[in-house]
C-alpha cells in the first residue's frame, strides 16, 4: 500500500523526505508541502508515516483487496508512545491496531559510513556487516563436516 500526503495537514517539516529510503517523498516547490512523487516505487516501509509529526501521511490500499470506500488512517501519538492503525473496509468492518513507537532518539542510529571499513580478511567471510556482535552472539553457528555429510545422505 503506497503512501500519500494530506497536503492541508502537512507543514513541510521534511522529516518524511529525510527518512524515505526510496527518495520519493519530495517537498513541492510551490506549495512547500510534501508529496509522494512516485507511489509505484514506494517500499511500503511506512517510515514516513511513523515519522510524520502532523499525521499527514496515509496509506492507500490496492484496489484488488481494498476497493473504493476503504480507508487506512494512522495516528501517531508521541506523548503516549503509540502508533495506531485504523483500517476500515467497504462493508464497514473496522480493524484497529496499536503498536509502540520505537524510542530510539532521532539521528541516534549510526549510518554505515560511521563504522570502520571492513578488513580484507573480513570480506572473505560469510558474515554480514557487524555480525556476530549485532546478533548478540559470539559466533555464527557452523556445520561440522560430519553434520554436512549427514544432511547430504
Ligand atoms: Fe518512502 Fe517508505 Fe514512505 Fe514509501 S512508505 S514513501 S518508501 S518512507
Ligand atoms: Fe509534511 Fe509530515 Fe512530511 Fe513533515 S513529515 S513534510 S508534516 S508529510
Amino acid at each position: 500500500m503506497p503512501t500519500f500526503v494530506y497536503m492541508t495537514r502537512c507543514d513541510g517539516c521534511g522529516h518524511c523526505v529525510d527518512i524515505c529510503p526510496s527518495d520519493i517523498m519530495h517537498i513541492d516547490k510551490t506549495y512547500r508541502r510534501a508529496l509522494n512523487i512516485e507511489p509505484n516505487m514506494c517500499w511500503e516501509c511506512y517510515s514516513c508515516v511513523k515519522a510524520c509529526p502532523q499525521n499527514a501521511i496515509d496509506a492507500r490500499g490496492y484496489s484488488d483487496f481494498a476497493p473504493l470506500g476503504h480507508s487506512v488512517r494512522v495516528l501517531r501519538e508521541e506523548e503516549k508512545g503509540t502508533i495506531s492503525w485504523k483500517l476500515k473496509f467497504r462493508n464497514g468492518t473496522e480493524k484497529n491496531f496499536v503498536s509502540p513507537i520505537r524510542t530510539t532518539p532521532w539521528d541516534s542510529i549510526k549510518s554505515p559510513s560511521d563504522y570502520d571499513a571492513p578488513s580484507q580478511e573480513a570480506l572473505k567471510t560469510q558474515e554480514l556487516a557487524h555480525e556476530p556482535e549485532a546478533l548478540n552472539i559470539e559466533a555464527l553457528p557452523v556445520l561440522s563436516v560430519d553434520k554436512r555429510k549427514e544432511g547430504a545422505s
Side-chain angles (χ1 to χ4, degrees):
M1 297 193 294
T3 58
F4 67 97
V5 178
Y6 291 109
M7 286 175 121
T8 47
R9 288 201 190 131
C10 170
D11 66 4
C13 71
H15 284 340
C16 58
V17 178
D18 293 341
I19 208 165
C20 177
S22 192
D23 198 20
I24 54 175
M25 278 295 185
H26 286 216
I27 300 287
D28 183 278
K29 287 193 172 70
T30 306
Y31 298 106
R32 306 299 306 157
R33 298 290 178 265
L35 76 161
N36 182 336
I37 61 160
E38 187 48 84
N40 284 346
M41 301 301 286
C42 180
W43 295 16
E44 304 172 11
C45 65
Y46 304 129
S47 302
C48 58
V49 175
K50 294 175 206 159
C52 176
Q54 303 300 330
N55 298 311
I57 308 177
D58 259 0
R60 194 192 312 273
Y62 292 118
S63 59
D64 50 354
F65 71 92
L68 291 176
H70 79 283
S71 70
V72 184
R73 284 297 297 132
V74 187
L75 182 61
R76 184 176 190 272
E77 293 177 287
E78 227 159 305
E79 44 320 323
K80 285 196 204 162
T82 59
I83 184 157
S84 316
W85 298 79
K86 181 191 276 285
L87 314 184
K88 210 180 223 172
F89 294 80
R90 188 165 57 162
N91 67 2
T93 308
E94 265 187 32
K95 290 204 183 281
N96 295 286
F97 303 93
V98 183
S99 319
I101 293 176
R102 196 182 65 184
T103 50
T104 313
W106 191 264
D107 264 348
S108 65
I109 295 181
K110 292 206 281 186
S111 81
S113 59
D114 293 330
Y115 290 89
D116 293 335
S119 66
Q120 286 304 311
E121 278 311 300
L123 294 176
K124 291 182 196 154
T125 74
Q126 294 186 13
E127 290 171 0
L128 300 177
H130 321 307
E131 281 182 353
E133 301 85 8
L135 299 172
N136 287 330
I137 53 176
E138 279 178 21
L140 291 179
V142 200
L143 275 182
S144 65
V145 177
D146 290 343
K147 275 278 176 201
R148 270 187 257 158
K149 282 185 195 156
E150 248 175 54
S153 60

